[in-house]
Amino acid sequence: MEMIIAANWKMHKKTGDTAEFCRAILKDQQLFKGVEVLICPPYTSLPLAAEFLNDSSLKLGAQDLHWEQEGAFTGEIAGPMLADLGVEYVIIGHSERRHIIGESNNRIRSKVKAALEAGLKPILCVGETEAEREQGSANSVISEQLLAALEGLAPGDMEELVIAYEPVWAIGTGKAAQPGDADAACSFIREVLQNAAGPERAQKIRIQYGGSVKVDNIGSFVEFASIQGALVGGASMQPDSFSALIQAARKAVQN
Ligand code: PEP
């Protein structure tokens, strides 16, 4: 299964920064062979990034979408608009949207459905808060988030998903999960997926770890068979560090 490493720029980078990043990262693309590399810029940079990445091996992702295909939703962006730009993936249920914007599991389910209807592949984020981990309820939170998002999906559609396990306390804090804990959580996610989609389909779903991933620790995550890539925030902002991280992941898997 090809590893998938995604850059989540969040609400950073204007068009000039996007152009600079794309120019630099594209120079290294031959060093990323065997890794699916994905850039998720803010909406305002998607058309420009699409132009740069067109004809490259790098893919384009969005950070969110609306749950309807079109309509009177001022300020929102629909899946077909993203697909029209050449966007292939869309992050759904990032913890910043769950916890800052207040998106519920039901809302996230409707977005997963909308993404699939628009022909986009959802990167569904799940993960527990620090308090939930301390209470010993991490697995129940993760399975609730997963099962809520998968409810009503045809098993065939589930194969299109990528799951990002992102413990909330590890995001943007510099405090990554212990690799063994990430392995345990991702293995648990796989079990939930197997029950929901059947073992064969579940095998096709890639699971990323996200939360303070850097060039120095990426190898310790992807060397586990349970983890097929990473969702990267801070360390994806500079082309040099992102490129080094991808190369380190590739090396760790080859070893
Ligand atoms: C993220 O944005 O999903 C993320 C994991 O951020 P960071 O790598 O900065 O922790």
Side-chain angles (χ1 to χ4, degrees), residues 8 10 94 96 166 170-173 210-213 231-235:
N8 175 18
K10 313 190 186 201
H94 190 280
E96 287 149 17
E166 297 212 305
I171 299 176
T173 57
S212 298
V213 172
L231 180 54
V232 187

Side-chain angles (χ1 to χ4, degrees), residues 15 18-20 22-23 26 47-56:
T15 51
T18 299
E20 208 177 299
C22 289
R23 265 188 215 105
L26 286 172
L48 183 67
E51 269 180 49
F52 272 100
L53 303 187
N54 190 21
D55 287 335
S56 83

Side-chain angles (χ1 to χ4, degrees), residues 6-10 91 94-96 125 164-176 209-214 230-237 245:
N8 175 18
W9 290 352
K10 313 190 186 201
I91 299 172
H94 190 280
S95 78
E96 287 149 17
C125 302
Y165 167 60
E166 297 212 305
V168 179
W169 43 271
I171 299 176
T173 57
K175 199 173 93 183
Y209 165 74
S212 298
V213 172
K214 308 223 164 2
L231 180 54
V232 187
S236 75
M237 298 299 296
L245 185 155

Side-chain angles (χ1 to χ4, degrees), residues 1-249:
M1 205 183 320
E2 193 176 40
M3 185 160 47
I4 177 165
I5 299 188
N8 175 18
W9 290 352
K10 313 190 186 201
M11 199 170 70
H12 296 289
K13 292 198 192 291
K14 298 181 198 148
T15 51
D17 310 312
T18 299
E20 208 177 299
F21 181 99
C22 289
R23 265 188 215 105
I25 201 87
L26 286 172
K27 286 189 190 141
D28 282 0
Q29 61 172 312
Q30 74 285 356
L31 304 172
F32 306 157
K33 280 208 180 80
V35 183
E36 191 172 5
V37 177
L38 181 65
I39 312 290
C40 306
Y43 289 135
T44 47
S45 279
L46 281 172
L48 183 67
E51 269 180 49
F52 272 100
L53 303 187
N54 190 21
D55 287 335
S56 83
S57 61
L58 275 64
K59 310 265 177 74
L60 191 60
Q63 298 176 18
D64 189 34
L65 84 171
H66 194 265
W67 61 90
E68 293 288 351
Q69 303 294 305
E70 64 175 347
F73 300 101
T74 302
E76 294 290 335
I77 305 285
M81 298 169 179
L82 299 172
D84 181 48
L85 290 178
V87 170
E88 213 173 301
Y89 287 88
V90 58
I91 299 172
I92 299 178
H94 190 280
S95 78
E96 287 149 17
R97 297 205 62 87
R98 289 180 187 267
H99 296 286
I100 303 173
I101 315 279
E103 286 191 0
S104 65
N105 280 334
N106 283 347
R107 177 57 69 229
I108 288 159
R109 176 197 308 127
S110 62
K111 290 188 172 191
V112 168
K113 199 165 158 275
L116 291 166
E117 268 172 34
L120 300 167
K121 296 174 194 154
I123 299 182
L124 170 67
C125 302
V126 297
E128 78 287 0
T129 63
E130 190 155 36
E132 288 162 344
R133 172 153 285 261
E134 277 164 9
Q135 284 156 19
S137 54
N139 280 1
S140 62
V141 169
I142 293 168
S143 73
E144 200 181 322
Q145 291 173 341
L146 266 177
L147 294 175
L150 299 178
E151 199 186 302
L153 285 191
D157 280 345
M158 293 184 196
E159 288 178 21
E160 298 297 314
L161 266 67
V162 173
I163 309 295
Y165 167 60
E166 297 212 305
V168 179
W169 43 271
I171 299 176
T173 57
K175 199 173 93 183
Q178 289 300 319
D181 291 342
D183 171 43
C186 293
S187 302
F188 172 72
I189 289 170
R190 178 81 57 201
E191 258 176 60
V192 176
L193 294 173
Q194 277 166 352
N195 290 334
E200 239 173 74
R201 289 208 159 94
Q203 259 340 92
K204 296 185 182 152
I205 303 175
R206 288 171 293 180
I207 304 175
Q208 300 173 309
Y209 165 74
S212 298
V213 172
K214 308 223 164 2
V215 63
D216 303 336
N217 63 16
I218 180 76
S220 62
F221 292 106
V222 296
E223 69 188 14
F224 283 106
S226 60
I227 303 175
Q228 292 86 39
L231 180 54
V232 187
S236 75
M237 298 299 296
Q238 299 304 324
D240 289 356
S241 66
F242 191 51
S243 171
L245 185 155
I246 298 162
Q247 292 174 60

